[in-house]
Amino acid sequence: MATFLYRLGRFSFRKRHFVALFWVALLALAGAGAAGAPAAGNSSFSIPGTEAQKAFDLLDERFPGTSADGATARVVFKAPDGQKMTDPGNKAAVQETVEELSGGSEVVQVSDPYQGGGVSRDGSIAYASVTYEVSGMELEESSREALKAAAEDARESGLTVEIGGDALQAVPETGSAEIIGIGVAAVVLVITLGSLLAAGLPLLTAIVGVGIGVASITALASTLDLGSTTSILASMIGLAVGIDYALFVVSRYRAELAEGRTREEAAGRAVGTAGSAVVFAGLTVVIALVGLSVVNIPMLTKMGIAAAGTVAVAVLIALTLIPALLGYAGRRVRPAGEKSKLLGGGRAKDKAERPNMGTRWASFVVRRPLAVLLLGVVGLGAAAVPAGSLELGLPDDGSQPTSTTQRRAYDLLSEGFGPGFNGPLVVVVDAEGSDDPQAAFKQAGDEIKELDNVVNVAPAAPNKAGDTATIAVIPDAKPSSVATEDLVHDIRAAGADIKDGTGADVLVTGATAMNIDVSQKLNDALVPYLVLVVGLAFLLLIVVFRSILVPLKAALGFLLSVLAALGAVVAVYQWGWLSGLMGVEETGPIMSMMPIFMVGVVFGLAMDYEVFLVTRIREAHVHGEKPAQAVVTGFRYSARVVTAAAIIMIAVFSGFIGSSDSMVKMIGFGLATAVLFDAFVVRMAIVPAVLALLGAKAWWLPKWLDRALPNVDVEGESLAALDRAADKDDEDKELVRA
């Protein structure tokens, strides 16, 4: 592989005009596709194989025309102090609003609070439910504006009016913090590479790669039902890895220049060595992201594949566009150790060069490996303790900032009707196989009323055929509580008895039940996903490092860092530690997708640092250095760049903490924390300590396996053989002349 990539690097350097034109054309093509495509909305959500989804599908079949998957809105009214919603003036204002909303082109039905029991017991709060014929992602902007206008008209009468539900779901905004993250990355690149031009190359190529990836996602959003969050997560991961991969190639190019190679040769060597590490690091990220499909949640699968595609583009750009741009830069990108005049280059050095920080740190770890190992493991273990209290759920309007109308509507409904009113359960009784459907409906309602944590059970509402009915159940606790989850399980358990007695199936659905089923599905999929992803990556790393213990160490180190990061997420978003600093307005359960998504993404990124760092160590060992010295040599050449790459990735991920979307905010924090732990504790401390303790045993591989594995030559040994062959040719020529 090293030889192929070496030739690719030299080709890209020589044919820089062709390569640059290709990527510019691809960016323009993707941009044109995005410009002509419909805007991304909120992806439709389905969870195949769950009871909630089965019930939802049954409603579509047995209650045709009711738009079971249509968007909904709750317009909540509160009377001024001292008044009631039943006062004539307030009642007239609400009924006028209901009439105004009923005229919407996409509206199926608007409930009248005074006819459907939509007024609180104390009379201070009322609500009207609006059902639309299309889903939230398909809702026309004119319908949203009409909803807002109706609420504003009602406010003019003196009422407090807020809107909840999914009809107002907006595309999440990441805020200015993302720009700050890119700014931090630029500063780190300038310091690391010692040149404004060299620092600009990784930023430029990363932006090109993310532009192609996000534009492609936008162009395909309508066709493939990709939500707006998909492009945000793809840009988050693509930007981080794009900068890192380009940084490693540029850094290796400067190191090759410092060894006296020509610029074209240095570009080929950089792609042949650092590029090999980029390919395998990218493969681990792609495996981890595509592996999310094993969970069998379509939205998560699409997010993973879209992000994986952006990572693949970042790898290809690092291997081709970077050497092409280095060809354009010429002498303005200086050898390692030299800085531009603007940054202090060209000055006389007052003293002899000291060993760099990476060398000094590795020497310290090699001298005291056991102490460093214990300190690192204990520290990460302490950070992971909160993960033992992890509670999972999906965000609802209760997790929105208090500044939003959705959150204020949620709070008003809780105040007027109880916390469980925001998460009603829909019980579907399928009596098609029952001899007496009406008796089945009544028995189901009666048994549910006897359960704990139930506030209200509405009368059964059968369909026209009379073989299926829905029963609305209001829990006593808020949607994300353990008590509500227990109630869902209790209803399902009672459903087994009802089936035995009447022959009718009882299914529980609704947003709350759907969230509970998603959490359970994700929990069940976590172990198989870990086995698949870690297993495939473990095999890949055995091929890369030609070792058993090094990949095993890499996988165990990853588990430590991801558990510690989950502990930090629980401490901030569930317990409320540092919540003000992180902009967390409402603590609660951790998003159900967070653990499995973090496992996938963090594993891929952790293997990035493992590959970049350990390939340098193995390269030194393969070329004859003793194990301890190889660790020091590897750190001398790669610690500075790995540190810079980690800081850049942390800065980019931290930028997404400012997002308006709670899911994006939480993922940004979790990934930034995981990279912090993995890069600076696991890879920079635990890895060299373990390698120092293992010595030559770290690189042990059974002979039969060594013969069976393909030689991918990540260390560039074939390039060294080319050097030896070239030197021998020169010697032979000298002998002939003599």
Side-chain angles (χ1 to χ4, degrees):
M1 174 177 283
T3 305
F4 169 76
L5 293 177
Y6 164 76
R7 291 171 180 163
L8 178 63
R10 293 193 64 170
F11 170 83
S12 300
F13 188 94
R14 288 196 310 272
K15 305 293 184 181
R16 61 186 74 102
H17 302 312
F18 169 77
V19 172
L21 182 62
F22 170 81
W23 285 109
V24 170
L26 192 58
L27 178 61
L29 183 64
N42 294 288
S43 178
S44 58
F45 195 75
S46 64
I47 310 96
T50 61
E51 179 174 316
Q53 187 66 48
K54 291 177 184 176
F56 186 81
D57 295 339
L58 186 65
L59 287 175
D60 270 348
E61 176 189 339
R62 303 286 175 85
F63 292 82
T66 57
S67 299
D69 61 343
T72 59
R74 274 179 170 176
V75 183
V76 188
F77 308 88
K78 183 175 183 180
D81 292 340
Q83 299 183 24
K84 293 184 179 296
M85 290 305 305
T86 51
D87 293 345
N90 294 335
K91 186 174 182 179
V94 171
Q95 289 178 328
E96 185 178 334
T97 303
V98 170
E99 185 177 347
E100 182 180 348
L101 289 169
S102 299
S105 60
E106 296 180 301
V107 173
V108 174
Q109 182 182 7
V110 182
S111 67
D112 187 327
Y114 303 99
Q115 296 179 5
V119 181
S120 63
R121 289 185 179 180
D122 63 3
S124 64
I125 296 172
Y127 74 92
S129 294
V130 186
T131 306
Y132 294 88
E133 62 185 16
V134 295
S135 64
M137 67 171 293
E138 298 170 318
L139 199 63
E140 295 287 343
E141 189 60 33
S142 59
S143 295
R144 293 191 178 94
E145 292 301 323
L147 180 61
K148 294 176 186 176
E152 192 58 43
D153 291 342
R155 290 188 186 105
E156 293 179 0
S157 66
L159 297 173
T160 298
V161 185
E162 305 295 347
I163 306 170
D166 62 355
L168 289 186
Q169 284 182 339
V171 176
E173 300 174 356
T174 55
S176 59
E178 183 182 353
I179 306 301
I180 296 173
I182 295 176
V184 171
V187 172
V188 173
L189 286 169
V190 170
I191 294 172
T192 304
L193 298 176
S195 163
L196 291 173
L197 181 62
L201 294 182
L203 279 176
L204 174 62
T205 55
I207 291 171
V208 170
V210 169
I212 293 171
V214 171
S216 300
I217 291 169
T218 304
L220 298 172
S222 178
T223 304
L224 301 181
D225 189 24
L226 302 177
S228 55
T229 306
T230 303
S231 60
I232 292 178
L233 295 176
S235 66
M236 179 195 301
I237 296 168
L239 189 62
V241 300
I243 293 174
D244 279 8
Y245 295 166
L247 170 61
F248 279 99
V249 174
V250 173
S251 177
R252 187 60 183 252
Y253 171 78
R254 296 177 70 234
E256 296 293 338
L257 288 179
E259 294 183 8
R261 304 191 191 279
T262 64
R263 295 189 176 274
E264 182 180 329
E265 180 69 12
R269 296 288 175 138
V271 176
T273 51
S276 297
V278 165
V279 169
F280 282 99
L283 270 176
T284 58
V285 180
V286 169
I287 287 172
L289 291 170
V290 173
L292 290 170
S293 58
V294 303
V295 183
N296 196 26
I297 294 180
M299 185 180 77
L300 193 60
T301 299
K302 293 171 186 176
M303 286 166 54
I305 292 175
T310 307
V311 171
V313 170
V315 170
L316 294 174
I317 282 180
L319 299 179
T320 57
L321 186 56
I322 281 291
L325 294 179
L326 289 172
Y328 284 117
R331 296 183 180 277
R332 285 168 290 185
V333 175
R334 299 168 181 269
E338 294 185 19
K339 296 182 179 180
S340 65
K341 292 182 179 179
L342 182 63
L343 297 173
R347 299 176 186 172
K349 296 180 180 179
D350 297 330
K351 57 184 179 181
E353 285 191 30
R354 296 174 57 200
N356 64 21
M357 180 63 75
T359 302
R360 296 198 298 273
W361 170 250
S363 299
F364 169 78
V365 174
V366 167
R367 289 196 304 271
R368 297 175 178 82
L370 189 58
V372 171
L373 176 61
L374 290 176
L375 184 62
V377 171
V378 170
L380 290 178
V385 168
S389 303
L390 178 68
E391 295 177 8
L392 297 177
L394 285 179
D396 55 22
D397 284 348
S399 62
Q400 296 266 15
T402 53
S403 58
T404 63
T405 186
Q406 293 97 322
R407 172 60 187 278
R408 292 195 292 263
Y410 180 96
D411 291 341
L412 284 176
L413 288 172
S414 295
E415 176 188 339
F417 300 91
F421 196 78
N422 283 293
L425 304 175
V426 179
V427 178
V428 182
V429 183
D430 179 8
E432 190 177 42
S434 174
D435 295 333
D436 188 350
Q438 292 298 325
F441 301 155
K442 185 177 185 305
Q443 182 177 339
D446 291 342
E447 291 202 18
I448 293 171
K449 286 178 184 176
E450 299 300 319
L451 299 175
D452 294 334
N453 301 316
V454 174
V455 171
N456 184 57
V457 178
N463 62 350
K464 290 182 179 179
D467 60 0
T468 308
T470 60
I471 302 173
V473 180
I474 305 299
D476 184 40
K478 64 181 182 179
S480 57
S481 68
V482 175
T484 300
E485 182 176 349
D486 290 341
L487 176 59
V488 170
H489 294 315
D490 290 344
I491 294 174
R492 287 172 174 170
D497 296 333
I498 295 170
K499 182 174 177 62
D500 291 339
T502 66
D505 287 320
V506 177
L507 306 172
V508 185
T509 188
T512 301
M514 192 76 82
N515 290 352
I516 291 169
D517 287 352
V518 169
S519 299
Q520 187 61 50
K521 192 176 183 71
L522 289 166
N523 281 339
D524 294 342
L526 185 57
V527 172
Y529 176 68
L530 267 174
V531 171
L532 172 70
V533 172
V534 176
L536 287 175
F538 181 76
L539 295 175
L540 186 65
L541 292 178
I542 288 177
V543 174
V544 174
F545 296 131
R546 309 195 77 77
S547 164
I548 298 293
L549 296 179
V550 170
L552 181 61
K553 163 197 60 66
L556 293 177
F558 150 74
L559 290 175
L560 273 175
S561 58
V562 79
L563 285 174
L566 275 175
V569 170
V570 169
V572 173
Y573 289 89
Q574 186 175 308
W575 292 358
W577 294 5
L578 302 176
S579 57
L581 180 63
M582 296 299 168
V584 181
E585 296 188 23
E586 182 72 20
T587 59
I590 303 305
M591 184 186 64
S592 299
M593 295 182 186
M594 191 69 187
I596 202 162
F597 192 82
M598 275 189 64
V599 165
V601 177
V602 174
F603 184 80
L605 300 180
M607 294 307 104
D608 278 4
Y609 300 120
E610 181 75 14
V611 171
F612 290 136
L613 188 63
V614 179
T615 48
R616 264 297 197 173
I617 296 173
R618 175 167 171 76
E619 185 177 340
H621 180 66
V622 167
H623 292 164
E625 293 188 9
K626 293 182 178 179
Q629 184 56 41
V631 171
V632 176
T633 300
F635 268 69
R636 179 168 71 247
Y637 287 115
S638 58
R640 177 184 177 91
V641 181
V642 169
T643 300
I647 294 173
I648 289 168
M649 203 170 275
I650 291 168
V652 171
F653 288 149
S654 297
F656 288 86
I657 297 175
S659 172
S660 62
D661 186 276
S662 59
M663 181 173 75
V664 175
K665 182 192 294 282
M666 192 181 295
I667 288 177
F669 173 80
L671 294 183
T673 306
V675 170
L676 175 68
F677 288 149
D678 194 85
F680 293 106
V681 181
V682 175
R683 309 304 153 188
M684 286 293 181
I686 293 178
V687 164
V690 171
L691 289 177
L693 288 170
L694 291 175
K697 295 177 183 177
W699 309 107
W700 171 79
L701 186 70
K703 291 182 178 179
W704 65 268
L705 185 56
D706 187 40
R707 290 191 299 269
L709 292 177
N711 183 12
V712 296
D713 189 23
V714 176
E715 300 82 16
E717 183 63 22
S718 59
L719 302 183
L722 290 177
D723 281 343
R724 290 191 292 270
D727 291 341
K728 189 175 185 305
D729 287 343
D730 291 340
E731 290 175 4
D732 291 342
K733 290 177 183 177
E734 289 295 329
L735 288 173
V736 170
R737 292 193 190 98

